[in-house]
Amino acid sequence: MISIESKFTRLATDDAPGQEVRQNTEHLKGLLRGDKLPGTPVDFSHGDVNANAFAPTPGALGEFVRGVERGGEQAYTEYRGGAELREQLASRLAGFTGAPLSGANEVIITPGTQGALYLALAATVSAGDKVAIVRPDYFANRKIVEFLGGVLVPVAMDYLGRTAEAGLDLVQLEDAFKAGVKTFLFSNPNNPAGVIYSRTEIERIAQLANSYGATVIVDELYSRLLYPGRDYTHLRATGMDPANVITIMGPSKTESLSGYRLGVAFGAAKIIDRMEKLQAIVSLRAPGYCQAVLRTWFAEPDGWMAQRIAQHQAIRDDLLEVLGSVEGVVARAPEAGSYLFPRLPKLCVDLQTFVRILRHQASVTVTPGTEFSPDATDSIRLNFSQNHRAAVQALGRAAELVDRYRA
Amino acid sequence: MISIESKFTRLATDDAPGQEVRQNTEHLKGLLRGDKLPGTPVDFSHGDVNANAFAPTPGALGEFVRGVERGGEQAYTEYRGGAELREQLASRLAGFTGAPLSGANEVIITPGTQGALYLALAATVSAGDKVAIVRPDYFANRKIVEFLGGVLVPVAMDYLGRTAEAGLDLVQLEDAFKAGVKTFLFSNPNNPAGVIYSRTEIERIAQLANSYGATVIVDELYSRLLYPGRDYTHLRATGMDPANVITIMGPSKTESLSGYRLGVAFGAAKIIDRMEKLQAIVSLRAPGYCQAVLRTWFAEPDGWMAQRIAQHQAIRDDLLEVLGSVEGVVARAPEAGSYLFPRLPKLCVDLQTFVRILRHQASVTVTPGTEFSPDATDSIRLNFSQNHRAAVQALGRAAELVDRYRA
């Protein structure tokens, strides 16, 4: 039995995105080379939702206000979210993913996709259960499994070595199932690498999960922001047993609605039922008035999403050009979403220290790769959903510091 | 090791407040006596936040909108909530509770007080730990402890047998500590009974917790809505070791702000730290824009709270009069908050069935006492934060059905 003390030590958030303000920089003295680099601060740990970057979906606040005006019926929904809204979402999500969905029984609205992830894992994983997760993948996946007392079984993804697929090691995945893994969790597009799993990879995952009777939780948070020419396969629209798959999405990223804390999980009714029971004691429900904002989701103005994708693509390409000019940096162009996960050359300070130096000397906040994989000691994640000009300049400053601290 | 199946069976929400819409009434046929009673439906399972009952604090929506306008800084706060807001809250809560508080280290903003309760318990209780809870008390307390694998040690409260105190069995509480209980959780004012713990009771709780080195989590959600002449003692302002006490409050009830999902936990920095780490994987943070609404909290217009208390008192007194007219009903007048927890006479159907009949025949929704204590098989809870006239009429209909179904 693990002590509660060590359980929480493992949950350390010191280097987690957004928590940097709680760090102090005393220990950097003596390590610093050269002066501070002036420029507009950019926080690449999350997207910028301000008006000069990527503002929330048009009409979101209006729907919120109308929700407040509806009063009690909007404030006190079922724990799983308002019934009418779930029907509307089910129809839209069935259309988007290409497989049928029941609003009554197969959808739950949660406080952010973070809430959905936690509930989905807690509804499927007990202490001692083996859970397969990808390296690298979203940092909270590992932490949630550990908090629940699950046993992590990592599966490698060679995202830098491939181009036509994400690079999941499917042999390792099968070995994990053979070793008793009953839950597999992964993000697609991958966070942090921005790569999309190929149809072949997704179909193989479905086949393996069916063979071994495993549950798969797939975080498709970024699946709407696909760059031109990219195909995307929804696991739930393959041969995967529908009783064993939960899909998670939400409007916090592409749609810039994070401030409303909304996520959606959909799929297997039995797991959704459990998630609702747990939500009842964890947070009761997604904020009632905020739920109303989901009415704008998948109902954005014509052309809005296409424009948003084009804007992100332009930033992505400029940032890749900056990275390409730095000797020793290796980056794969993201195929979806707004994350870049470049590998840096060998530096004279460790990754955590370099990340703090970036913040201190260049006003650039990034997330160390080790949040996503213990192996990623040489990578940083950047969310490039930022003001275009500021982002390019900030990455230029980061490049200058890579040179300055090169080993 | 308990299976995940049975873990979730214990979390049943079928009779939980707000979930009644998921019930069907097929099985009532054959049991029903007489016709339906016409009248405005009243849902006593939660307060009514509509304009003709108890609307949210004036200015709440305005603060929300200003929060949205602030953009990213409001959307992406630290996981524990915005720093400036925490300072403001710390100052107000220190004043209200009568003991100092650090906004930097001793306050966390959560998705509702439900979120605070879950995090506080998960930060202190490991599988196998003994946790004392009161009977009756808020229904989620038991469920959270069970979900965490804790062992419940009930402590009785004789709320109907006392008047000058809540009626906690302090001998049982000491026995619980002697038996190894390290966490004690209780609501004050008590939910569902609406009674306030006396200074003597609170000081004894502090003394016992100090003697046995136990952590106490006190849910003070209703501590602002005190009826005239009532004294209230904040546990954190007694001799209780500040390193072992967490207080929970929020604006969802008296202030009718439930639709914004806001709660606050404050106290021991070490526990607050853990709660933040856990919040990072459970929901990231309380909804960013909603946090701005807390600026209105403890800063309501002059006289607003006094008027709100007077309105609740008037409803309470009229409802007590209705209850007093029904033979065999026993009710203690609530000293704070908006819950009534009357004991009903012996009926010809069981409590769950009677509660469903009330909803079916009288359009009156109440919560069965068994949600709060396995012993409360003859009690119902009513949240009387309702339209005054509709509530009195609805309770009249319920009284008629008590007579109709009397054993």
Side-chain angles (χ1 to χ4, degrees), chain A residues 83-99:
Chain A
E84 195 187 320
L85 177 61
R86 282 185 285 113
E87 289 301 334
Q88 193 177 59
L89 289 174
S91 154
R92 294 173 184 176
L93 291 169
F96 177 68
T97 60

Side-chain angles (χ1 to χ4, degrees), chain B residues 41-311:
Chain B
V42 173
D43 184 350
F44 287 109
S45 75
H46 59 74
D48 184 342
V49 300
N50 287 327
N52 63 352
F54 291 98
T57 315
L61 180 56
E63 285 295 350
F64 182 92
V65 173
R66 278 188 286 281
V68 173
E69 287 164 354
R70 274 191 294 278
E73 62 167 296
Q74 187 71 56
Y76 290 92
T77 68
E78 284 172 67
Y79 298 146
R80 62 175 66 199
E84 193 187 320
L85 177 61
R86 283 185 283 112
E87 289 301 334
Q88 193 177 58
L89 289 174
S91 152
R92 293 173 185 176
L93 291 168
F96 177 68
T97 60
L101 191 60
S102 154
N105 301 313
E106 298 180 331
V107 174
I108 183 170
I109 301 169
T110 57
T113 52
Q114 186 70 51
L117 272 175
Y118 182 77
L119 297 176
L121 280 167
T124 46
V125 177
S126 283
D129 287 354
K130 290 180 181 168
V131 181
I133 65 165
V134 177
R135 285 190 178 164
D137 211 326
Y138 178 51
F139 59 91
N141 296 0
R142 168 183 67 77
K143 292 180 184 179
I144 298 173
V145 172
E146 284 180 345
F147 181 77
L148 296 169
V151 179
L152 288 171
V153 180
V155 180
M157 191 180 75
D158 181 20
Y159 57 98
L160 286 176
R162 316 286 179 90
T163 52
E165 56 198 1
L168 189 71
D169 189 327
L170 291 161
V171 173
Q172 267 189 26
L173 181 63
E174 177 155 24
D175 287 345
F177 287 133
K178 279 184 188 158
V181 160
K182 286 288 173 218
T183 305
F184 174 47
L185 165 65
F186 71 109
S187 59
N188 181 26
N190 175 266
N191 173 357
V195 298
I196 298 174
Y197 287 72
S198 68
R199 171 165 291 277
T200 309
E201 287 175 309
I202 293 296
E203 286 178 346
R204 181 64 179 153
I205 289 169
Q207 196 179 44
L208 288 172
N210 287 347
S211 298
Y212 292 91
T215 298
V216 184
I217 300 165
V218 52
D219 169 359
E220 300 191 348
L221 184 51
Y222 267 110
S223 57
R224 296 186 76 192
L225 186 55
L226 304 186
Y227 297 114
R230 297 297 172 177
D231 286 328
Y232 186 93
T233 307
H234 293 277
L235 179 64
R236 66 185 304 272
T238 65
M240 175 82 204
D241 180 353
N244 286 334
V245 59
I246 291 289
T247 305
I248 291 171
M249 289 188 69
S252 286
K253 302 293 182 182
T254 310
E255 303 83 354
S256 304
L257 296 170
S258 179
Y260 295 95
R261 286 282 81 209
L262 290 164
V264 176
F266 50 104
K270 185 177 163 182
I271 300 174
I272 298 289
D273 280 348
R274 288 182 182 174
M275 291 173 68
E276 178 179 47
K277 287 179 180 178
L278 187 54
Q279 180 147 287
I281 61 168
V282 167
S283 62
L284 272 190
R285 60 176 73 77
Y289 300 144
C290 294
Q291 289 181 36
V293 171
L294 282 172
R295 293 172 177 228
T296 65
W297 200 37
F298 286 94
E300 296 85 4
D302 280 350
W304 182 86
M305 183 59 76
Q307 191 195 12
R308 186 144 281 213
I309 292 172
Q311 288 166 329

Side-chain angles (χ1 to χ4, degrees), chain A residues 41-123:
Chain A
V42 173
D43 183 351
F44 287 108
S45 75
H46 59 74
D48 184 343
V49 300
N50 287 328
N52 62 353
F54 291 97
T57 315
L61 179 56
E63 285 295 351
F64 182 92
V65 172
R66 279 188 287 281
V68 173
E69 287 164 355
R70 274 192 294 278
E73 62 167 295
Q74 187 69 57
Y76 289 94
T77 69
E78 283 172 67
Y79 298 146
R80 61 175 66 199
E84 195 187 320
L85 177 61
R86 282 185 285 113
E87 289 301 334
Q88 193 177 59
L89 289 174
S91 154
R92 294 173 184 176
L93 291 169
F96 177 68
T97 60
L101 191 61
S102 154
N105 301 312
E106 298 180 330
V107 175
I108 183 170
I109 301 168
T110 58
T113 51
Q114 186 70 52
L117 273 175
Y118 181 78
L119 297 177
L121 280 167

